[in-house]
């Protein structure tokens, strides 16, 4: 009985609020000015009354309400998720788990996930595994799709809920089922949760081209130290160029991204601002350290559609400051910060979320502002375009490898003529490759193997060599960033659209 009185009182209260709403007493001109402010109130009052009526009727009429609390949580979450893809409601259990991961020691499985996932999606896509982390050791691979965690299917589950279930106490096991391309059956893994080591970068020296390469999969304090050490080595060894690989980098700490930007651009340089819904600047972030990168060191940044958030900001700010220096140089040579972006358009997440505690030990994660780059443009929903559009070519599937091996070649025929020695060498090479695959290789060794066949990396090396050919033979054509981009585009074939005109013959 008390519940019915409460619901009726709520409905009556909302009606009273609607009648006394300021927008109903405003003049037409005032109403136009206040439209944005009071439309929300009016709609909210109206539909909250309807919601209260639905609750009242449900209590009166429904045969058996079994879990009202869960239904209310889902209803509130549905409202927040309707606003934008990054807003959501955190129930007590999820909120507690998130607090533990941000304010204390936590243990996970060490994966980078797809930020585009929606609750209706049946799977959580693994974009990458953290080097030598629990998932990596267990055998998970990039682009595996997790469909079940501890017997619970992920369909209908938010990404926050799904990732919270993967975390837990140290040395406890989490059971996951995955879909893997080329495998007809589901694969099961028992992964032991542990500390995820902060090996956020991997660096190589490409000897044949005198180029240094560093890959950052997330921005942390450790990543700052690692890239600082590489830049210091660049000063001693005088590398031709630096390749900064931000592919599959989902972001991480904005502060770390700002510190990394400070290694390349002048102290006090603007990195990013945030603006609220009234387009009012709320925060302003600048570099607070002196740069250490060599002025003459060209920087080629690899990006793709999974380069997101803070990683996009870093790529964007370095490009913008490089463009600014090119403009200020005029007809003179640009003496520092030659930055070029290579790959595909970035993810386009330029929004800021705030976690706000509410009653019942819950919280709401809601988008409160947008990031703006130094040229006052937002990457939200747009991403950053590369200077050189180069699509990643995926390795051939097992089916294609098999088809190529047994069809379309002379040696696929059972009675082909064998030249002495050649056939034995081929078989020996195949056996060596198989034995290597069976060996448990380190993350560094596996990364080296992948990079050796990475077309985007190889094309970047070609661009670097072409840039230095230009500096030697026609330095005026590459004297600043703008001219260098034009020169390289005119001599290098990217994935940009080709205009083909038919020749009538």
């Amino acid at each position: 009985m008390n519940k019915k009185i409460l619901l009726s009182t709520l409905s009556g209260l909302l009606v009273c609020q609607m009648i006394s709403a300021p927008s109903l007493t405003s003049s037409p001109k005032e109403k136009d000015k206040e439209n944005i402010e009071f439309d929300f109130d009016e709609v909210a009052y109206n539909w909250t009354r309807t919601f209260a009526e639905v609750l009242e009727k449900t209590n009166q009429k429904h045969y058996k309400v079994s879990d009202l609390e869960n239904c209310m949580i889902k209803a509130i979450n549905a409202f927040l998720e309707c606003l934008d893809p990054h807003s959501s409601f955190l129930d007590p259990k999820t909120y507690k788990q998130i607090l533990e991961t941000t304010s204390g020691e936590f243990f996970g499985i060490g994966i980078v996930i797809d930020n585009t996932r929606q609750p209706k999606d049946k799977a959580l896509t693994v974009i990458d595994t953290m080097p030598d982390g629990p998932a990596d050791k267990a055998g998970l691979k990039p682009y595996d799709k997790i469909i079940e965690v501890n017997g619970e299917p992920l369909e209908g589950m938010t990404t926050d809920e799904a990732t919270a279930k993967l975390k837990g106490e140290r040395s406890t096991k989490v059971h996951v089922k995955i879909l893997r391309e080329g495998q007809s059956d589901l694969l099961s893994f028992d992964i032991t949760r542990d500390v995820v080591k902060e090996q956020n970068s991997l660096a190589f020296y490409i000897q044949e081209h005198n180029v240094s390469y560093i890959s950052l999969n997330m921005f942390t304090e450790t990543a700052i130290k690692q890239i600082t050490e590489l830049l210091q080595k660049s000063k001693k060894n005088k590398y031709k160029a630096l390749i900064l690989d931000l592919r599959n980098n989902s972001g991480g700490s904005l502060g770390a991204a700002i510190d990394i930007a400070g290694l390349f651009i002048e102290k006090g340089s603007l990195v990013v601002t945030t603006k609220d819904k009234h387009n009012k600047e709320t925060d302003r972030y600048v570099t607070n350290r002196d740069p250490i990168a060599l002025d003459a060191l060209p920087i080629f940044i690899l990006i793709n559609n999974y380069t997101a958030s803070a990683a996009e900001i870093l790529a964007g700010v370095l490009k913008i400051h490089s463009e600014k220096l090119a403009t200020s140089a005029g007809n003179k040579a640009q003496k520092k910060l030659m930055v070029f972006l290579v790959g595909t358009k970035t993810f386009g997440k330029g929004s800021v979320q705030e976690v706000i505690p509410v009653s019942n030990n819950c919280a709401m994660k809601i988008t409160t502002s947008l990031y703006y780059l130094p040229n006052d443009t937002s990457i939200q929903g747009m991403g950053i375009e590369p200077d050189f559009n180069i699509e990643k070519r995926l390795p051939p599937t097992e089916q294609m490898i098999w088809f190529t091996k047994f069809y379309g070649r002379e040696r696929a025929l059972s009675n082909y003529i064998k030249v002495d020695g050649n056939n034995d060498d081929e078989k020996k090479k195949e056996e060596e490759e198989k034995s290597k695959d069976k060996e448990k290789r380190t993350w560094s060794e596996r990364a080296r193997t992948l990079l050796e066949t990475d077309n985007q990396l190889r094309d970047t090396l070609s661009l670097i060599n072409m840039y230095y050919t230009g500096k030697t033979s026609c330095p005026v054509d590459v004297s600043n960033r703008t001219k260098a981009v034009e020169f390289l585009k005119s001599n290098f074939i990217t994935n940009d659209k080709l205009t083909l005109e038919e020749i009538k013959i």
Side-chain angles (χ1 to χ4, degrees):
M1 186 68 182
N2 290 336
K3 290 180 181 178
K4 291 182 180 179
I5 293 170
L6 177 63
L7 290 170
S8 299
T9 304
L10 178 58
S11 297
L13 177 63
L14 291 172
V15 171
C16 292
Q17 286 176 319
M18 285 181 64
I19 292 171
S20 61
S23 61
L24 297 178
T25 59
S26 301
S27 66
K29 287 184 178 179
E30 287 175 337
K31 187 173 181 180
D32 287 340
K33 291 179 182 178
E34 297 169 352
N35 234 359
I36 297 173
E37 184 179 350
F38 291 108
D39 272 359
F40 181 89
D41 290 343
E42 190 171 336
V43 174
Y45 292 151
N46 190 22
W47 284 97
T48 307
R49 180 182 64 182
T50 303
F51 188 65
E53 290 173 359
V54 169
L55 287 173
E56 184 179 12
K57 297 297 181 186
T58 299
N59 191 36
Q60 292 172 353
K61 299 288 187 180
H62 194 275
Y63 174 74
K64 186 180 181 182
V65 179
S66 58
D67 192 353
L68 181 60
E69 183 175 307
N70 186 47
C71 292
M72 295 296 287
I73 287 170
K74 287 187 175 181
I76 299 170
N77 186 56
F79 165 70
L80 290 173
E81 285 186 345
C82 188
L83 300 176
D84 71 86
H86 305 291
S87 294
S88 63
F89 188 68
L90 307 176
D91 61 59
K93 185 178 179 182
T94 305
Y95 181 41
K96 183 182 177 183
Q97 289 171 324
I98 288 175
L99 285 177
E100 287 172 353
T101 63
T102 55
S103 61
E105 193 172 26
F106 75 97
F107 308 97
I109 65 171
I111 58 172
V112 179
I113 61 169
D114 180 4
N115 287 313
T116 63
R117 183 186 178 274
Q118 298 294 309
K120 64 181 179 180
D121 295 338
K122 295 182 180 180
L124 183 70
T125 302
V126 177
I127 299 304
D128 205 354
T129 57
M130 303 300 282
D132 297 323
D136 185 36
K137 290 177 180 177
L140 261 66
K141 296 181 179 180
Y143 306 110
D144 281 346
K145 297 181 183 297
I146 300 173
I147 62 166
E148 189 178 289
V149 178
N150 288 335
E152 291 186 58
L154 298 192
E155 186 176 9
M157 195 181 293
T158 66
T159 302
D160 286 328
E161 289 174 320
T163 52
K165 288 184 182 298
L166 292 170
K167 297 168 184 172
E169 293 181 12
R170 189 173 193 174
S171 299
T172 58
K173 289 186 182 293
V174 57
H175 181 77
V176 299
K177 286 186 178 179
I178 67 160
L179 286 168
R180 179 175 290 170
E181 187 178 351
Q183 299 285 340
S184 56
D185 295 328
L186 293 176
L187 301 178
S188 295
F189 294 89
D190 287 311
I191 307 172
T192 303
R193 299 181 178 102
D194 202 350
V195 175
V196 179
K197 296 178 182 177
E198 282 197 354
Q199 174 66 34
N200 304 113
S201 68
L202 188 67
F204 290 108
Y205 170 58
I206 306 171
Q207 188 173 358
E208 295 85 353
H209 302 277
N210 191 28
V211 171
S212 59
Y213 165 93
I214 185 166
S215 170
L216 296 179
N217 55 32
M218 190 172 287
F219 292 138
T220 64
E221 292 302 316
T222 305
I224 300 170
K225 294 176 184 176
Q226 290 164 344
I227 194 169
T228 300
E229 288 177 12
L230 181 65
L231 289 173
Q232 288 169 342
K233 287 182 180 179
S234 296
K235 283 186 175 181
K236 293 178 183 177
N237 299 317
K238 295 184 179 179
Y239 299 136
K240 282 170 61 177
L242 167 67
I243 297 176
L244 177 57
D245 192 346
L246 298 182
R247 293 175 297 178
N248 301 336
N249 185 319
S250 59
S253 165
L254 176 63
I258 293 167
D259 276 345
I260 292 172
L263 297 172
F264 299 95
I265 58 181
E266 294 297 327
K267 185 177 181 179
S269 297
L270 179 63
V271 176
V272 70
T273 60
T274 59
K275 294 183 182 181
D276 63 16
K277 63 182 179 180
H278 303 296
N279 205 35
K280 181 183 177 182
E281 188 176 298
T282 54
D283 284 299
R284 190 176 185 86
Y285 301 94
V286 299
T287 57
N288 54 13
R289 62 186 301 166
D290 292 317
I292 64 169
L294 280 171
D295 289 346
L297 182 71
I299 304 155
F300 286 75
I301 303 176
L302 280 167
I303 55 174
N304 68 359
N305 58 310
Y306 287 116
T307 303
S309 195
E312 294 177 275
I313 291 170
L314 178 62
V317 71
L318 292 181
K319 178 182 176 180
I320 287 167
H321 280 283
S322 182
E323 289 174 332
K324 185 178 177 181
L325 288 170
T327 303
S328 60
N331 294 325
K332 296 179 181 178
Q334 181 178 339
K335 294 183 179 179
K336 58 184 178 181
L337 201 64
M338 295 286 278
V339 176
F340 308 97
L341 305 189
V342 184
T344 55
K345 186 192 281 191
T346 62
F347 184 78
K349 184 187 182 296
S351 58
V352 184
Q353 282 70 46
E354 184 179 348
V355 176
I356 304 170
V358 294
S359 57
N360 289 322
N361 297 317
C362 298
M364 56 190 289
K365 185 175 75 171
I366 191 167
T367 300
T368 55
S369 55
L370 297 182
Y371 287 119
Y372 283 80
L373 294 174
N375 61 357
D376 205 32
T377 60
S378 174
I379 60 174
Q380 174 57 31
M382 303 297 291
I384 295 175
E385 292 280 357
D387 297 307
F388 306 99
N389 183 34
I390 299 171
E391 296 282 349
K392 178 70 178 289
R393 290 195 294 271
L394 295 175
T397 62
E398 288 184 18
Q399 183 179 5
M400 183 58 70
I401 292 171
W402 180 89
F403 189 85
T404 304
K405 182 177 179 181
F406 292 104
Y407 291 91
R409 287 182 178 171
E410 171 73 11
R411 69 191 303 268
L413 302 174
S414 60
N415 59 340
Y416 79 99
I417 299 172
K418 302 174 180 66
V419 180
D420 293 342
N422 286 2
N423 189 47
D424 293 336
D425 290 342
E426 286 285 337
K427 283 185 178 180
K428 189 178 179 181
K429 189 178 179 182
E430 286 178 8
E431 288 172 3
E432 286 176 356
E433 287 176 356
K434 285 180 181 178
S435 65
K436 281 182 181 179
D437 291 337
K438 289 179 181 178
E439 292 175 6
K440 181 64 177 176
R441 296 182 297 170
T442 65
W443 180 65
S444 175
E445 290 170 339
R446 283 181 281 133
R448 184 185 288 108
T449 301
L450 290 172
L451 288 172
E452 284 173 353
T453 57
D454 188 332
N455 69 290
Q456 289 178 319
L457 175 63
R458 285 181 169 271
D459 285 348
T460 303
L461 290 171
S462 295
L463 286 167
I464 291 169
N465 289 330
M466 195 175 293
Y467 170 76
Y468 271 90
T469 300
K471 284 193 75 172
T472 304
S473 59
C474 44
V476 176
D477 290 342
V478 292
S479 59
N480 62 42
R481 199 199 100 88
T482 306
K483 290 182 177 180
V485 169
E486 290 177 3
F487 172 80
L488 293 173
K489 277 190 172 183
S490 65
N491 290 282
F492 187 83
I493 306 300
T494 65
N495 292 124
D496 291 337
K497 186 178 178 181
L498 297 175
T499 303
L500 303 175
E501 287 188 22
E502 183 183 359
I503 301 174
K504 301 285 185 181
I505 53 175

